[in-house]
Amino acid sequence: MIVAVVHSRSSGRRDAGLSTPTIAVSIGRSGGRCQQCGGGKRAGKSVAASIVTLPWQLLAEGVLVDLETRHLKLLQIVAEEGSFRRAAQRLGASQPALSRQISRLERSLGASLLDRAASGVRLTRAGQLVVEASRKVHSEMGSLLTSLGALIGRGAQPLRLVASLNPSVTVARLMADGHQLEILRHSDADALDLLDRGRADLALVIEDPTSRFQPKGGLGMATITRTPLWLCARHGRPESAADSVAVAGLRNAPWILPEAGSMRSIVENICLAAGYLPDPILVGDDDVMLSGLAAGVGIALRGPLFGLAADLDFATRPLQDEVVEHKICVWRRDRVPESLVETVVDALQQQHLTLARRHPEYRDWLERHPEAVPEYSARVPAQAAAR
């Protein structure tokens, strides 16, 4: 049995004469006595036992209570792959983003979970405990889903998820719930084509503004977010000097553009409406764009949270003529239950709202535009809805 014994003590740091309390958590298997308690309380004595010190505020703010199984699954996958690069490929995420999520998990728990080296990563003693507990949790969840699938006559085939959007949050949430996944990354049009031909089950894409998506046949659709496009640039670039930006004034700016897809079409159409086609200094996927923006080589039009999602702080300015991108979830209704779709949409919306708390100006925009993060509502073909 995994046990945790909590001790309250002062950290020794003082502000205005007040000490900052901390807690020491002894984690391990039962059997043996906790030395910090003078042998009066039983705690872990296995080789995997670990003592970690956490700020008391972590409990007060609910950080430990809010820890989700998906966070544990990320650590488990990194441990199984032995490197962040291979784990990121398996998750369909970027390596830097995955590394930052594990670092945040370590900060939340107050313990180092991985030993990092040029040859790869391996679990610390504390990490071994966390992964051991994670495997038990997910084994039980997998058994539950298998039993439910047998009960309702659904096999255990993997869910084929195709995305132009970064699917890491969705992947972690679904894997934490015990789902088997097959991840495909494609442009928006290709993703929808794979879905239409039955080669994928669920798609996360940006809607083409020149041709709004209308679900047909056995497909369903739900809006994830409606996000305004703002100027993104490194702090100090002249294009971000004003409180709002006219796209016409960016004609001669060094543009960083996304690869071909709906987002590229949106940006080019915005510029064409202002009388020009942007001349890019850099073109690439999200990681390439983030790197270019961080280096200060140019500007881009992206959602206000584009940098924050990667823990990067950019200057963001709204456009004088507002343009909104639609992120949507599309699925095959014969393969994906609507309850699972609602889980996917909710995970992405909650991540969006959590990041928005760190961007006061965008948070104010969201308060003025509640339709930007809509209540879950599925759209199906008219003939299907009439049945």
Side-chain angles (χ1 to χ4, degrees):
M1 179 178 68
I2 302 295
V3 298
V5 181
V6 179
H7 317 269
S8 178
R9 68 188 186 197
S10 171
S11 67
R13 184 172 72 86
R14 295 180 178 274
D15 295 305
L18 298 176
S19 63
T20 301
T22 65
I23 56 173
V25 184
S26 174
I27 309 174
R29 292 192 175 278
S30 59
R33 297 183 179 275
C34 176
Q35 295 180 357
Q36 291 199 33
C37 300
K41 296 181 181 179
R42 300 190 68 81
K45 72 170 185 178
S46 70
V47 294
S50 177
I51 301 292
V52 297
T53 301
L54 306 173
W56 182 261
Q57 290 91 330
L58 288 180
L59 287 183
E61 295 170 3
V63 173
L64 298 182
V65 175
D66 289 340
L67 186 67
E68 297 182 18
T69 53
R70 64 185 176 88
H71 300 128
L72 305 180
K73 189 67 176 182
L74 291 178
L75 177 65
Q76 182 180 329
I77 291 172
V78 171
E80 290 172 354
E81 296 296 335
S83 83
F84 280 105
R85 179 182 59 81
R86 290 193 295 271
Q89 291 174 344
R90 177 172 163 184
L91 287 165
S94 71
Q95 181 177 336
L98 177 59
S99 179
R100 284 188 290 267
Q101 290 187 63
I102 296 298
S103 294
R104 283 197 293 268
L105 175 61
E106 290 177 316
R107 289 195 298 271
S108 295
L109 293 176
S112 176
L113 304 176
L114 291 170
D115 283 328
R116 295 162 171 83
S119 58
V121 296
R122 64 179 183 178
L123 293 168
T124 63
R125 290 187 297 172
Q128 291 170 10
L129 280 176
V130 173
V131 167
E132 182 180 350
S134 173
R135 286 180 174 138
K136 291 180 179 178
V137 168
H138 291 99
S139 176
E140 292 296 325
M141 182 63 72
S143 297
L144 172 61
L145 290 175
T146 298
S147 298
L148 285 175
L151 182 64
I152 63 178
R154 186 175 64 239
Q157 297 179 351
L159 176 72
R160 296 169 297 178
L161 170 63
V162 60
S164 66
L165 306 174
N166 188 333
S168 59
V169 172
T170 303
V171 169
R173 176 73 174 266
L174 292 176
M175 292 186 74
D177 288 345
H179 294 281
Q180 300 178 49
L181 299 178
E182 179 182 341
I183 311 300
L184 306 170
R185 296 298 299 272
H186 286 277
S187 67
D188 304 289
D190 288 345
L192 291 174
D193 179 63
L194 288 172
L195 196 70
D196 188 49
R197 291 190 286 130
R199 295 177 59 184
D201 304 316
L202 185 145
L204 303 174
V205 296
I206 296 174
E207 189 175 29
D208 185 347
T210 64
S211 178
R212 294 296 183 191
F213 181 77
Q214 297 294 331
K216 60 182 180 179
L219 301 182
M221 188 199 89
T223 298
I224 303 169
T225 56
R226 301 181 179 99
T227 309
L229 295 186
W230 288 11
L231 173 80
C232 294
R234 191 170 73 175
H235 287 283
R237 281 204 63 92
E239 296 88 355
S240 64
D243 291 336
S244 61
V245 177
V247 174
L250 301 175
R251 176 188 294 267
N252 297 317
W255 281 88
I256 300 175
L257 294 180
E259 295 174 314
S262 295
M263 178 56 66
R264 176 70 172 265
S265 297
I266 292 172
V267 173
E268 289 183 342
N269 286 335
I270 293 172
C271 294
L272 284 172
Y276 66 95
L277 190 66
D279 184 18
I281 191 173
L282 183 65
V283 175
D285 60 15
D286 284 358
D287 287 340
V288 170
M289 294 187 70
L290 288 167
S291 298
L293 289 169
V297 300
I299 59 100
L301 295 186
R302 295 302 297 255
L305 304 179
F306 183 58
L308 288 178
D311 279 346
L312 295 172
D313 181 24
F314 297 140
T316 58
R317 302 290 184 266
L319 303 182
Q320 292 177 3
D321 295 321
E322 189 169 88
V323 177
V324 176
E325 66 170 5
H326 291 203
K327 293 184 174 73
I328 60 174
C329 176
V330 187
W331 69 97
R332 295 190 65 87
R333 292 186 294 115
D334 61 338
R335 282 281 297 152
V336 183
E338 196 166 327
S339 59
L340 187 147
V341 176
E342 192 167 359
T343 295
V344 168
V345 172
D346 178 70
L348 292 168
Q349 289 182 339
Q350 290 305 315
Q351 182 207 33
H352 191 82
L353 294 174
T354 298
L355 287 174
R357 298 190 191 110
R358 298 164 54 189
H359 195 314
E361 188 176 6
Y362 179 55
R363 185 180 60 208
D364 291 343
W365 186 93
L366 283 175
E367 290 177 355
R368 299 192 304 272
H369 298 83
E371 74 281 1
V373 185
E375 293 288 333
Y376 174 80
S377 177
R379 281 171 52 194
V380 299
Q383 63 271 26
R387 290 174 186 169

